[in-house]
């Protein structure tokens, strides 16, 4: 969903800037719920207030709910069909490609300087190798960002 939101809301419709979308991704990651639903809600709210937020949320959630409800009774028999197994293998490969695209696209937009590279690398190593919980990574990143903001403000104050 995230690459689709990026392409549709940022690139095609120009409803959001890349920076706004990255902020929504960050907030969506930090808040409870599915990131894509949270991002859609924020975008809808920005465009049309509360009604827009509700409409965007329903627009992202309803198709999945309808499809899952429609096939829920058939799921056990689906697992045994060879064609379904093969189709799921293809879908898994497509999902991996989509996630790879999203990774590179988001990295280009989020990592803008050497400090961003260090934060990115530190977060990756912490999560992948040391199994640090994501919420801790988010809290540490917030602390780093706020600290740098106040250090910059303090430095600017000294120069005046």
């Amino acid at each position: 969903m995230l690459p689709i939101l990026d392409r549709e809301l940022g690139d095609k419709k120009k409803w959001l800037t890349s920076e706004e979308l990255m902020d929504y991704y960050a907030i969506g990651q930090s808040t409870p719920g599915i990131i894509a639903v949270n991002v859609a809600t924020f975008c809808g709210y920005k465009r049309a207030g509360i009604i827009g937020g509700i409409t965007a949320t329903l627009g992202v959630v309803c198709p999945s709910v309808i499809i899952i409800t429609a096939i829920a009774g058939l799921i056990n028999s689906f697992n045994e069909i060879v064609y379904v197994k093969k189709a799921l293998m293809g879908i898994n490969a497509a999902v991996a490609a989509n996630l790879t695209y999203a990774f590179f696209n988001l990295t280009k937009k989020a990592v803008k300087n050497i400090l961003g590279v260090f934060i990115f690398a530190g977060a990756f190593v912490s999560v992948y190798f040391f199994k640090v919980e994501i919420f801790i990574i988010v809290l540490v990143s917030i602390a780093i960002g706020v600290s740098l903001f106040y250090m910059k403000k303090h430095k600017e104050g000294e120069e005046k």
Side-chain angles (χ1 to χ4, degrees):
M1 287 297 294
L2 296 179
I4 293 169
L5 289 172
D6 186 26
R7 185 174 51 250
E8 292 297 321
L9 301 177
D11 297 340
K12 286 185 181 177
K13 294 192 178 4
K14 305 288 187 209
W15 287 352
L16 299 170
T17 65
S18 292
E19 290 78 23
E20 288 173 319
L21 201 52
M22 288 301 298
D23 289 344
Y24 291 162
Y25 287 163
I27 295 167
Q29 177 71 37
S30 313
T31 54
I34 301 167
I35 299 169
V37 174
N38 293 344
V39 170
T41 304
F42 296 142
C43 295
Y45 181 79
K46 180 185 184 245
R47 295 282 300 163
I50 292 173
I51 297 297
I54 292 169
T55 304
T57 301
L58 292 174
V60 170
V61 171
C62 284
S64 299
V65 170
I66 292 168
I67 292 169
I68 289 169
T69 303
I71 65 170
L74 305 172
I75 197 71
N76 287 335
S77 61
F78 269 164
N79 286 341
E80 302 307 318
I81 301 172
V82 175
Y83 295 115
V84 171
K85 288 180 181 179
K86 299 293 183 186
L88 289 175
M89 284 176 40
I91 290 170
N92 288 340
V95 168
N98 216 5
L99 288 173
T100 303
Y101 167 79
F103 167 78
F104 285 111
N105 198 24
L106 293 174
T107 302
K108 283 192 306 191
K109 292 177 182 178
V111 180
K112 297 180 180 181
N113 54 34
I114 192 71
L115 178 62
V117 171
F118 283 117
I119 293 172
F120 172 81
F124 176 79
V125 167
S126 298
V127 171
Y128 189 78
F129 293 107
F130 299 109
K131 309 300 185 224
V132 176
E133 293 291 331
I134 297 294
F135 78 92
I136 293 173
I137 301 298
V138 171
L139 291 176
V140 169
S141 299
I142 289 170
I144 291 170
V146 169
S147 298
L148 291 173
F149 172 78
Y150 281 113
M151 288 171 43
K152 184 178 178 182
K153 282 286 195 189
H154 181 71
K155 185 178 177 183
E156 289 173 358
E158 286 179 353
E159 291 176 359
K160 290 182 181 181

